[in-house]
Amino acid sequence: MSETDVDGFLRAFAAAAEPVEISFRWRPQLRDPADELMLEAAVNGHADAVVTHNVSDFASASARLGVRVLTPAQLLKELSKP
């Protein structure tokens, strides 16, 4: 992608993003403390899924907190379904 393409994508992504206030803390839930903020944002923001290459680190908390965990490839496959 060109720099212009990346800039356009990031602008569109930022325009669609909604801030999420972290009203409940769920820590500790994950093996990697660096992933906790992403999980909290997903749960507090009522996200449909967390999209990550690091699926195994989110698996245990996913079932407990009701958040799906998808790889980027799985998300793209779902989005391409008619």
Side-chain angles (χ1 to χ4, degrees), residues 23-47:
S23 54
F24 295 101
R25 293 187 180 226
W26 302 95
R27 296 176 210 173
Q29 294 289 323
L30 305 174
R31 292 185 315 201
D32 184 352
D35 292 333
E36 296 285 356
L37 282 176
M38 183 190 301
L39 178 65
E40 287 178 357
V43 172
N44 283 293
H46 307 286

Side-chain angles (χ1 to χ4, degrees), residues 12-81:
F13 185 78
E18 295 179 26
V20 172
E21 189 161 328
I22 304 298
S23 54
F24 295 101
R25 293 187 180 226
W26 302 95
R27 296 176 210 173
Q29 294 289 323
L30 305 174
R31 292 185 315 201
D32 184 352
D35 292 333
E36 296 285 356
L37 282 176
M38 183 190 301
L39 178 65
E40 287 178 357
V43 172
N44 283 293
H46 307 286
D48 293 329
V50 170
V51 179
T52 179
H53 286 291
N54 197 9
V55 172
S56 62
D57 278 1
F58 285 89
S60 62
S62 167
R64 274 194 307 274
L65 299 174
V67 176
R68 291 177 43 203
V69 180
L70 303 171
T71 64
Q74 290 170 318
L75 174 66
L76 290 174
K77 189 174 183 179
E78 282 193 16
L79 292 175
S80 67
K81 291 179 183 177

